[in-house]
Amino acid sequence: MADPVSSSLRVLATPNPIIHQRRHTILYIPFFEVLYATATTSLVSIENEMLMHWKNDTDGQHTDEVEYTIGFKSLTSTALSKRIALNVSLEGLEISDNNAGIHKNFVPEEFLPEQRLKKKITVPAHSELYFYQRKYVLETEVYFTHDAWGMLCVVMTNDNSQMNWKIRSTIHSAEFITTGQKLQKILEKKISGQTKHDVYGKSGRKFDNLTLIAKITLNGFN
């Protein structure tokens, strides 16, 4: 099957499939309380960002140097992303769906903080070339569970709705495309994902009913 990602400017993942789930301990006081953050990460889109376009009308080949970024970056809720070390927790991530023709095994360098690198590109004589880099857009939804006073409870807002944060992040990958034609196609692809885990917690506990240290911890993510 042809790779739909390499021939498209953007592939929208439907219905935002879950690709990673993990529970993190963000506060631990022995024999008294534990505060957990449960993170569910979904794939939003796979995009090819154009980094450079050359048109070589000469009789000889032309070599140029292009700068690019590789690595992980949180665009929202950065304090929470750092606290749960989201980039580290995602290491070893794979996205694979035979029906959609999409396969990706991430490498460790793609989860490091973003860094700038350079790459040499050669443009043949009398040719036009477009150079793209693959980017993955993710969204992580996080809710919290408070274990105290002998009861494991999901943290609620004071108006009794579940407290949660959303983290939008990107991975600029080590994948590149050189093509003689500009990519323009935008696709929607149904991509299979994981089944969402059950909610971790027996009942709800309003924010005002948390311990002071738990409140301070959660407020630190605003």
Side-chain angles (χ1 to χ4, degrees):
M1 176 184 291
D3 178 5
V5 180
S6 296
S7 60
S8 305
L9 181 65
R10 183 180 300 113
V11 174
L12 304 176
T14 60
N16 289 165
I18 295 172
I19 56 175
H20 189 268
Q21 300 177 84
R22 183 169 177 178
R23 186 167 63 245
H24 306 261
T25 301
I26 57 174
L27 172 65
Y28 175 66
I29 301 177
F31 310 110
F32 182 61
E33 70 178 311
V34 186
L35 187 61
Y36 301 98
T38 299
T40 301
T41 299
S42 300
L43 175 65
V44 176
S45 64
I46 307 171
E47 304 177 3
N48 290 312
E49 289 189 340
M50 188 172 72
L51 301 186
M52 192 69 74
H53 169 227
W54 298 268
K55 190 171 183 179
N56 184 3
D57 292 324
T58 70
D59 293 331
Q61 69 179 23
H62 172 71
T63 299
D64 202 353
E65 191 172 63
V66 58
E67 286 193 358
Y68 65 94
T69 298
I70 187 170
F72 177 93
K73 183 177 183 179
S74 290
L75 306 177
T76 60
S77 302
T78 53
L80 177 57
S81 179
K82 289 179 181 178
R83 183 64 176 266
I84 65 176
L86 180 58
N87 61 322
V88 175
S89 74
L90 291 173
E91 285 187 5
L93 182 65
E94 296 181 15
I95 301 173
S96 183
D97 189 310
N98 289 330
N99 291 329
I102 292 174
H103 303 277
K104 169 61 177 173
N105 294 322
F106 290 91
V107 297
E109 64 180 324
E110 293 171 333
F111 295 103
L112 295 174
E114 284 189 336
Q115 57 179 320
R116 296 290 289 173
L117 299 171
K118 295 181 179 180
K119 188 178 184 72
K120 289 188 181 296
I121 302 295
T122 298
V123 187
H126 300 290
S127 67
E128 191 169 9
L129 187 146
Y130 296 86
F131 181 67
Y132 294 87
Q133 182 184 20
R134 186 77 44 82
K135 180 179 77 174
Y136 295 81
V137 181
L138 312 178
E139 185 167 86
T140 302
E141 186 170 357
V142 183
Y143 72 89
F144 305 93
T145 305
H146 189 224
D147 188 359
W149 304 298
M151 181 69 72
L152 186 67
C153 297
V154 175
V155 177
M156 313 294 285
T157 64
N158 290 324
D159 62 6
N160 220 32
S161 59
Q162 188 181 78
M163 179 178 288
N164 61 62
W165 267 260
K166 288 186 178 179
I167 305 170
R168 181 62 66 102
S169 57
T170 59
I171 300 172
H172 280 92
S173 75
E175 301 167 279
F176 304 94
I177 301 170
T178 54
T179 175
Q181 294 184 334
K182 186 177 182 179
L183 299 179
Q184 296 180 326
K185 185 166 53 178
I186 297 177
L187 295 179
E188 286 192 13
K189 279 285 185 179
K190 186 174 182 179
I191 302 172
S192 58
Q194 303 174 10
T195 301
K196 190 170 186 177
H197 293 169
D198 291 337
V199 173
Y200 183 64
K202 300 182 189 302
S203 60
R205 178 172 292 146
K206 291 183 179 182
F207 180 83
D208 279 351
N209 295 329
L210 301 177
T211 62
L212 178 59
I213 187 64
K215 293 177 185 176
I216 292 172
T217 300
L218 292 173
N219 280 332
F221 304 138
N222 288 325

Short mmCIF file of all heavy atoms in Angstrom, two decimals, residues 81-135:
data_model
loop_
_atom_site.label_atom_id
_atom_site.label_comp_id
_atom_site.label_asym_id
_atom_site.label_seq_id
_atom_site.Cartn_x
_atom_site.Cartn_y
_atom_site.Cartn_z
N SER A 81 3.42 19.26 31.77
CA SER A 81 4.18 18.37 30.88
C SER A 81 5.55 18.06 31.47
O SER A 81 6.00 16.91 31.44
CB SER A 81 4.33 19.03 29.51
OG SER A 81 5.06 18.20 28.64
N LYS A 82 6.20 19.07 32.04
CA LYS A 82 7.51 18.85 32.66
C LYS A 82 7.38 18.00 33.92
O LYS A 82 8.22 17.12 34.19
CB LYS A 82 8.16 20.18 32.99
CG LYS A 82 8.62 20.96 31.77
CD LYS A 82 9.24 22.30 32.17
CE LYS A 82 9.68 23.09 30.95
NZ LYS A 82 10.25 24.41 31.31
N ARG A 83 6.33 18.24 34.71
CA ARG A 83 6.18 17.53 35.98
C ARG A 83 6.01 16.03 35.75
O ARG A 83 6.53 15.21 36.53
CB ARG A 83 4.98 18.09 36.75
CG ARG A 83 4.78 17.46 38.13
CD ARG A 83 5.95 17.76 39.07
NE ARG A 83 5.73 17.26 40.40
CZ ARG A 83 5.22 17.97 41.40
NH1 ARG A 83 4.88 19.23 41.20
NH2 ARG A 83 5.06 17.44 42.59
N ILE A 84 5.26 15.65 34.71
CA ILE A 84 5.06 14.23 34.44
C ILE A 84 6.09 13.70 33.44
O ILE A 84 6.03 12.53 33.05
CB ILE A 84 3.64 13.94 33.93
CG1 ILE A 84 3.38 14.59 32.58
CG2 ILE A 84 2.60 14.37 34.96
CD1 ILE A 84 2.01 14.26 31.99
N ALA A 85 7.04 14.54 33.05
CA ALA A 85 8.07 14.15 32.07
C ALA A 85 7.43 13.46 30.88
O ALA A 85 7.77 12.34 30.51
CB ALA A 85 9.11 13.25 32.73
N LEU A 86 6.48 14.17 30.26
CA LEU A 86 5.69 13.59 29.18
C LEU A 86 6.57 13.07 28.05
O LEU A 86 6.34 11.98 27.53
CB LEU A 86 4.69 14.62 28.65
CG LEU A 86 3.77 14.16 27.52
CD1 LEU A 86 2.95 12.95 27.95
CD2 LEU A 86 2.87 15.30 27.08
N ASN A 87 7.57 13.83 27.66
CA ASN A 87 8.42 13.39 26.55
C ASN A 87 9.13 12.08 26.86
O ASN A 87 9.20 11.18 26.02
CB ASN A 87 9.44 14.48 26.18
CG ASN A 87 10.38 14.84 27.32
OD1 ASN A 87 9.97 14.88 28.49
ND2 ASN A 87 11.63 15.11 27.01
N VAL A 88 9.62 11.94 28.09
CA VAL A 88 10.32 10.71 28.49
C VAL A 88 9.34 9.53 28.54
O VAL A 88 9.66 8.42 28.11
CB VAL A 88 11.02 10.90 29.85
CG1 VAL A 88 11.65 9.59 30.32
CG2 VAL A 88 12.06 12.00 29.76
N SER A 89 8.14 9.78 29.04
CA SER A 89 7.16 8.70 29.18
C SER A 89 6.71 8.16 27.83
O SER A 89 6.26 7.03 27.72
CB SER A 89 5.94 9.16 29.99
OG SER A 89 5.13 10.03 29.23
N LEU A 90 6.85 8.97 26.77
CA LEU A 90 6.41 8.55 25.45
C LEU A 90 7.48 7.75 24.69
O LEU A 90 7.21 7.23 23.61
CB LEU A 90 6.02 9.77 24.61
CG LEU A 90 4.75 10.51 25.04
CD1 LEU A 90 4.59 11.79 24.23
CD2 LEU A 90 3.51 9.64 24.88
N GLU A 91 8.69 7.65 25.23
CA GLU A 91 9.76 6.93 24.53
C GLU A 91 9.33 5.49 24.24
O GLU A 91 8.73 4.82 25.07
CB GLU A 91 11.05 6.96 25.35
CG GLU A 91 11.75 8.30 25.33
CD GLU A 91 13.11 8.26 26.01
OE1 GLU A 91 13.54 7.15 26.41
OE2 GLU A 91 13.73 9.32 26.16
N GLY A 92 9.68 5.02 23.06
CA GLY A 92 9.29 3.69 22.63
C GLY A 92 7.94 3.66 21.94
O GLY A 92 7.44 2.59 21.57
N LEU A 93 7.34 4.83 21.75
CA LEU A 93 6.03 4.93 21.14
C LEU A 93 6.04 4.40 19.70
O LEU A 93 7.00 4.62 18.95
CB LEU A 93 5.59 6.39 21.14
CG LEU A 93 4.20 6.73 20.60
CD1 LEU A 93 3.12 6.12 21.45
CD2 LEU A 93 4.03 8.25 20.53
N GLU A 94 4.97 3.71 19.32
CA GLU A 94 4.78 3.25 17.95
C GLU A 94 3.37 3.61 17.49
O GLU A 94 2.44 3.60 18.27
CB GLU A 94 4.95 1.73 17.86
CG GLU A 94 6.35 1.22 18.18
CD GLU A 94 6.45 -0.29 18.04
OE1 GLU A 94 5.55 -0.89 17.42
OE2 GLU A 94 7.43 -0.86 18.55
N ILE A 95 3.25 3.95 16.22
CA ILE A 95 1.95 4.15 15.59
C ILE A 95 1.90 3.24 14.37
O ILE A 95 2.74 3.36 13.48
CB ILE A 95 1.74 5.62 15.16
CG1 ILE A 95 1.85 6.56 16.37
CG2 ILE A 95 0.39 5.80 14.48
CD1 ILE A 95 1.83 8.03 16.00
N SER A 96 0.96 2.31 14.35
CA SER A 96 0.92 1.35 13.25
C SER A 96 -0.52 0.96 12.95
O SER A 96 -1.27 0.59 13.85
CB SER A 96 1.74 0.10 13.61
OG SER A 96 1.78 -0.80 12.53
N ASP A 97 -0.88 1.08 11.69
CA ASP A 97 -2.20 0.66 11.24
C ASP A 97 -2.09 0.22 9.78
O ASP A 97 -1.90 1.06 8.89
CB ASP A 97 -3.21 1.80 11.38
CG ASP A 97 -4.64 1.34 11.13
OD1 ASP A 97 -4.88 0.69 10.10
OD2 ASP A 97 -5.52 1.66 11.96
N ASN A 98 -2.16 -1.08 9.55
CA ASN A 98 -2.01 -1.61 8.19
C ASN A 98 -3.09 -1.09 7.25
O ASN A 98 -2.83 -0.79 6.09
CB ASN A 98 -2.03 -3.14 8.22
CG ASN A 98 -0.77 -3.73 8.82
OD1 ASN A 98 0.30 -3.13 8.72
ND2 ASN A 98 -0.89 -4.87 9.46
N ASN A 99 -4.32 -1.00 7.76
CA ASN A 99 -5.43 -0.55 6.91
C ASN A 99 -5.24 0.90 6.45
O ASN A 99 -5.61 1.26 5.33
CB ASN A 99 -6.76 -0.69 7.64
CG ASN A 99 -7.14 -2.14 7.85
OD1 ASN A 99 -6.82 -3.00 7.04
ND2 ASN A 99 -7.82 -2.43 8.96
N ALA A 100 -4.68 1.73 7.35
CA ALA A 100 -4.45 3.13 7.00
C ALA A 100 -3.13 3.34 6.27
O ALA A 100 -2.87 4.42 5.73
CB ALA A 100 -4.48 3.99 8.26
N GLY A 101 -2.29 2.30 6.25
CA GLY A 101 -0.98 2.42 5.60
C GLY A 101 -0.03 3.32 6.35
O GLY A 101 0.84 3.96 5.75
N ILE A 102 -0.15 3.36 7.67
CA ILE A 102 0.67 4.25 8.50
C ILE A 102 1.47 3.43 9.50
O ILE A 102 0.90 2.62 10.25
CB ILE A 102 -0.22 5.28 9.22
CG1 ILE A 102 -0.82 6.25 8.19
CG2 ILE A 102 0.58 6.05 10.28
CD1 ILE A 102 -1.83 7.21 8.76
N HIS A 103 2.79 3.64 9.50
CA HIS A 103 3.68 2.92 10.41
C HIS A 103 4.79 3.86 10.86
O HIS A 103 5.43 4.50 10.04
CB HIS A 103 4.29 1.70 9.73
CG HIS A 103 3.29 0.72 9.20
ND1 HIS A 103 2.69 -0.23 9.98
CD2 HIS A 103 2.74 0.60 7.96
CE1 HIS A 103 1.82 -0.91 9.24
NE2 HIS A 103 1.84 -0.43 8.02
N LYS A 104 4.98 3.97 12.15
CA LYS A 104 6.03 4.84 12.68
C LYS A 104 6.56 4.28 13.99
O LYS A 104 5.81 4.07 14.96
CB LYS A 104 5.49 6.26 12.90
CG LYS A 104 6.41 7.17 13.70
CD LYS A 104 7.75 7.40 13.02
CE LYS A 104 8.61 8.38 13.81
NZ LYS A 104 9.99 8.50 13.26
N ASN A 105 7.86 4.01 14.03
CA ASN A 105 8.57 3.66 15.26
C ASN A 105 9.45 4.85 15.62
O ASN A 105 10.40 5.16 14.90
CB ASN A 105 9.43 2.40 15.07
CG ASN A 105 8.60 1.17 14.83
OD1 ASN A 105 7.54 1.00 15.42
ND2 ASN A 105 9.07 0.30 13.95
N PHE A 106 9.13 5.52 16.70
CA PHE A 106 9.89 6.70 17.09
C PHE A 106 11.24 6.29 17.66
O PHE A 106 11.37 5.24 18.30
CB PHE A 106 9.11 7.51 18.13
CG PHE A 106 7.89 8.19 17.58
CD1 PHE A 106 6.65 7.56 17.58
CD2 PHE A 106 7.97 9.47 17.03
CE1 PHE A 106 5.53 8.17 17.07
CE2 PHE A 106 6.86 10.10 16.51
CZ PHE A 106 5.63 9.45 16.53
N VAL A 107 12.22 7.14 17.46
CA VAL A 107 13.57 6.90 17.97
C VAL A 107 13.82 7.84 19.15
O VAL A 107 13.17 8.90 19.26
CB VAL A 107 14.63 7.11 16.88
CG1 VAL A 107 14.43 6.11 15.75
CG2 VAL A 107 14.59 8.53 16.32
N PRO A 108 14.74 7.49 20.06
CA PRO A 108 14.93 8.29 21.29
C PRO A 108 15.19 9.76 21.05
O PRO A 108 14.71 10.61 21.81
CB PRO A 108 16.13 7.61 21.95
CG PRO A 108 16.04 6.17 21.50
CD PRO A 108 15.54 6.25 20.09
N GLU A 109 15.95 10.12 20.02
CA GLU A 109 16.28 11.53 19.80
C GLU A 109 15.06 12.38 19.50
O GLU A 109 15.07 13.60 19.69
CB GLU A 109 17.30 11.67 18.67
CG GLU A 109 16.79 11.23 17.32
CD GLU A 109 17.84 11.38 16.23
OE1 GLU A 109 18.62 12.35 16.28
OE2 GLU A 109 17.87 10.52 15.33
N GLU A 110 13.97 11.74 19.06
CA GLU A 110 12.76 12.49 18.74
C GLU A 110 11.99 12.91 19.99
O GLU A 110 11.05 13.71 19.89
CB GLU A 110 11.87 11.66 17.81
CG GLU A 110 12.50 11.47 16.43
CD GLU A 110 11.78 10.48 15.55
OE1 GLU A 110 11.12 9.56 16.09
OE2 GLU A 110 11.88 10.59 14.32
N PHE A 111 12.38 12.38 21.16
CA PHE A 111 11.73 12.77 22.41
C PHE A 111 12.60 13.68 23.27
O PHE A 111 12.19 14.08 24.35
CB PHE A 111 11.35 11.52 23.21
CG PHE A 111 10.30 10.68 22.52
CD1 PHE A 111 10.64 9.52 21.86
CD2 PHE A 111 8.98 11.09 22.49
CE1 PHE A 111 9.69 8.77 21.21
CE2 PHE A 111 8.02 10.35 21.84
CZ PHE A 111 8.37 9.18 21.18
N LEU A 112 13.77 14.02 22.77
CA LEU A 112 14.60 15.00 23.47
C LEU A 112 14.01 16.39 23.25
O LEU A 112 13.25 16.62 22.30
CB LEU A 112 16.03 14.95 22.93
CG LEU A 112 16.81 13.66 23.17
CD1 LEU A 112 18.15 13.71 22.45
CD2 LEU A 112 17.00 13.41 24.66
N PRO A 113 14.35 17.35 24.12
CA PRO A 113 13.92 18.74 23.86
C PRO A 113 14.39 19.18 22.48
O PRO A 113 15.45 18.74 22.00
CB PRO A 113 14.60 19.53 24.98
CG PRO A 113 14.80 18.53 26.07
CD PRO A 113 15.10 17.23 25.39
N GLU A 114 13.62 20.05 21.84
CA GLU A 114 13.94 20.45 20.47
C GLU A 114 15.36 21.00 20.35
O GLU A 114 15.83 21.73 21.21
CB GLU A 114 12.95 21.51 20.00
CG GLU A 114 11.59 20.97 19.63
CD GLU A 114 10.73 22.02 18.95
OE1 GLU A 114 10.97 23.22 19.15
OE2 GLU A 114 9.81 21.62 18.22
N GLN A 115 16.03 20.62 19.26
CA GLN A 115 17.35 21.15 18.96
C GLN A 115 17.44 21.47 17.48
O GLN A 115 16.77 20.87 16.65
CB GLN A 115 18.45 20.16 19.36
CG GLN A 115 18.31 18.79 18.70
CD GLN A 115 19.43 17.84 19.09
OE1 GLN A 115 20.59 18.24 19.19
NE2 GLN A 115 19.08 16.59 19.32
N ARG A 116 18.29 22.45 17.14
CA ARG A 116 18.46 22.87 15.76
C ARG A 116 19.65 22.14 15.14
O ARG A 116 20.73 22.05 15.74
CB ARG A 116 18.69 24.38 15.69
CG ARG A 116 17.53 25.22 16.15
CD ARG A 116 16.36 25.16 15.19
NE ARG A 116 16.62 25.87 13.94
CZ ARG A 116 15.81 25.84 12.90
NH1 ARG A 116 14.70 25.12 12.93
NH2 ARG A 116 16.10 26.53 11.81
N LEU A 117 19.44 21.62 13.93
CA LEU A 117 20.49 20.90 13.21
C LEU A 117 20.53 21.42 11.77
O LEU A 117 19.66 22.18 11.34
CB LEU A 117 20.20 19.40 13.23
CG LEU A 117 20.16 18.73 14.61
CD1 LEU A 117 19.65 17.31 14.50
CD2 LEU A 117 21.53 18.76 15.27
N LYS A 118 21.53 20.94 11.02
CA LYS A 118 21.68 21.34 9.63
C LYS A 118 21.81 20.11 8.74
O LYS A 118 22.32 19.07 9.17
CB LYS A 118 22.89 22.26 9.46
CG LYS A 118 22.76 23.61 10.16
CD LYS A 118 23.98 24.48 9.93
CE LYS A 118 23.83 25.84 10.62
NZ LYS A 118 25.01 26.70 10.40
N LYS A 119 21.37 20.25 7.50
CA LYS A 119 21.41 19.15 6.56
C LYS A 119 21.71 19.70 5.17
O LYS A 119 21.19 20.75 4.79
CB LYS A 119 20.06 18.43 6.56
CG LYS A 119 19.98 17.13 5.77
CD LYS A 119 18.60 16.52 5.92
CE LYS A 119 18.47 15.18 5.24
NZ LYS A 119 19.21 14.13 5.99
N LYS A 120 22.56 19.00 4.42
CA LYS A 120 22.89 19.43 3.06
C LYS A 120 21.93 18.77 2.06
O LYS A 120 21.65 17.57 2.15
CB LYS A 120 24.34 19.08 2.71
CG LYS A 120 25.36 19.93 3.46
CD LYS A 120 26.76 19.69 2.96
CE LYS A 120 27.78 20.53 3.73
NZ LYS A 120 27.58 21.96 3.54
N ILE A 121 21.44 19.56 1.12
CA ILE A 121 20.52 19.09 0.10
C ILE A 121 21.11 19.42 -1.27
O ILE A 121 21.56 20.54 -1.51
CB ILE A 121 19.14 19.76 0.22
CG1 ILE A 121 18.55 19.50 1.62
CG2 ILE A 121 18.19 19.25 -0.85
CD1 ILE A 121 18.23 18.06 1.91
N THR A 122 21.09 18.42 -2.16
CA THR A 122 21.59 18.62 -3.52
C THR A 122 20.42 18.65 -4.49
O THR A 122 19.59 17.75 -4.50
CB THR A 122 22.57 17.49 -3.91
OG1 THR A 122 23.69 17.51 -3.04
CG2 THR A 122 23.05 17.68 -5.35
N VAL A 123 20.38 19.72 -5.30
CA VAL A 123 19.33 19.90 -6.30
C VAL A 123 19.93 19.65 -7.68
O VAL A 123 20.84 20.37 -8.10
CB VAL A 123 18.74 21.32 -6.23
CG1 VAL A 123 17.53 21.43 -7.16
CG2 VAL A 123 18.35 21.68 -4.80
N PRO A 124 19.46 18.63 -8.40
CA PRO A 124 20.01 18.34 -9.74
C PRO A 124 19.79 19.51 -10.70
O PRO A 124 18.95 20.38 -10.49
CB PRO A 124 19.23 17.10 -10.19
CG PRO A 124 18.72 16.49 -8.92
CD PRO A 124 18.45 17.65 -8.00
N ALA A 125 20.55 19.49 -11.80
CA ALA A 125 20.42 20.53 -12.82
C ALA A 125 19.03 20.53 -13.44
O ALA A 125 18.40 19.47 -13.60
CB ALA A 125 21.47 20.31 -13.91
N HIS A 126 18.53 21.71 -13.75
CA HIS A 126 17.23 21.88 -14.41
C HIS A 126 16.12 21.10 -13.69
O HIS A 126 15.42 20.29 -14.29
CB HIS A 126 17.32 21.45 -15.88
CG HIS A 126 18.31 22.23 -16.67
ND1 HIS A 126 18.13 23.57 -17.01
CD2 HIS A 126 19.55 21.87 -17.16
CE1 HIS A 126 19.19 23.99 -17.69
NE2 HIS A 126 20.06 22.99 -17.80
N SER A 127 16.01 21.36 -12.42
CA SER A 127 14.98 20.66 -11.64
C SER A 127 14.44 21.57 -10.54
O SER A 127 15.05 22.60 -10.21
CB SER A 127 15.53 19.38 -11.03
OG SER A 127 16.51 19.68 -10.04
N GLU A 128 13.32 21.17 -10.01
CA GLU A 128 12.68 21.87 -8.89
C GLU A 128 12.53 20.88 -7.76
O GLU A 128 12.18 19.71 -7.98
CB GLU A 128 11.32 22.40 -9.34
CG GLU A 128 10.67 23.37 -8.37
CD GLU A 128 9.46 24.06 -8.98
OE1 GLU A 128 9.02 23.65 -10.08
OE2 GLU A 128 8.95 25.00 -8.35
N LEU A 129 12.79 21.33 -6.55
CA LEU A 129 12.78 20.40 -5.42
C LEU A 129 12.13 21.05 -4.20
O LEU A 129 12.41 22.20 -3.88
CB LEU A 129 14.21 19.96 -5.09
CG LEU A 129 14.39 18.85 -4.05
CD1 LEU A 129 15.60 18.00 -4.42
CD2 LEU A 129 14.59 19.44 -2.65
N TYR A 130 11.27 20.28 -3.54
CA TYR A 130 10.64 20.68 -2.28
C TYR A 130 11.15 19.75 -1.18
O TYR A 130 11.21 18.53 -1.37
CB TYR A 130 9.12 20.57 -2.37
CG TYR A 130 8.48 21.50 -3.37
CD1 TYR A 130 8.36 21.14 -4.71
CD2 TYR A 130 7.99 22.75 -2.99
CE1 TYR A 130 7.77 21.98 -5.64
CE2 TYR A 130 7.40 23.60 -3.91
CZ TYR A 130 7.29 23.21 -5.23
OH TYR A 130 6.71 24.05 -6.14
N PHE A 131 11.49 20.34 -0.05
CA PHE A 131 12.05 19.57 1.07
C PHE A 131 11.13 19.70 2.29
O PHE A 131 10.85 20.81 2.74
CB PHE A 131 13.45 20.08 1.40
CG PHE A 131 14.13 19.35 2.53
CD1 PHE A 131 14.52 18.03 2.40
CD2 PHE A 131 14.38 20.00 3.73
CE1 PHE A 131 15.15 17.36 3.43
CE2 PHE A 131 15.01 19.35 4.77
CZ PHE A 131 15.40 18.01 4.62
N TYR A 132 10.64 18.57 2.78
CA TYR A 132 9.68 18.54 3.89
C TYR A 132 10.22 17.73 5.06
O TYR A 132 10.99 16.79 4.88
CB TYR A 132 8.36 17.89 3.45
CG TYR A 132 7.57 18.65 2.41
CD1 TYR A 132 7.83 18.46 1.05
CD2 TYR A 132 6.56 19.54 2.77
CE1 TYR A 132 7.11 19.15 0.08
CE2 TYR A 132 5.83 20.22 1.81
CZ TYR A 132 6.11 20.03 0.48
OH TYR A 132 5.40 20.70 -0.48
N GLN A 133 9.75 18.12 6.26
CA GLN A 133 10.04 17.35 7.47
C GLN A 133 8.72 16.89 8.10
O GLN A 133 7.74 17.64 8.14
CB GLN A 133 10.82 18.19 8.49
CG GLN A 133 11.17 17.41 9.77
CD GLN A 133 11.86 18.30 10.80
OE1 GLN A 133 11.76 19.51 10.75
NE2 GLN A 133 12.53 17.67 11.75
N ARG A 134 8.72 15.67 8.61
CA ARG A 134 7.52 15.09 9.21
C ARG A 134 7.34 15.57 10.65
O ARG A 134 8.26 15.56 11.45
CB ARG A 134 7.65 13.56 9.19
CG ARG A 134 6.45 12.76 9.64
CD ARG A 134 5.37 12.71 8.61
NE ARG A 134 5.83 12.47 7.25
CZ ARG A 134 6.12 11.25 6.76
NH1 ARG A 134 6.00 10.18 7.50
NH2 ARG A 134 6.51 11.12 5.51
N LYS A 135 6.12 16.01 10.97
CA LYS A 135 5.78 16.45 12.32
C LYS A 135 4.53 15.73 12.80
O LYS A 135 3.56 15.59 12.05
CB LYS A 135 5.54 17.97 12.34
CG LYS A 135 5.17 18.52 13.72
CD LYS A 135 4.96 20.02 13.69
CE LYS A 135 3.62 20.42 13.11
NZ LYS A 135 3.34 21.86 13.22
#
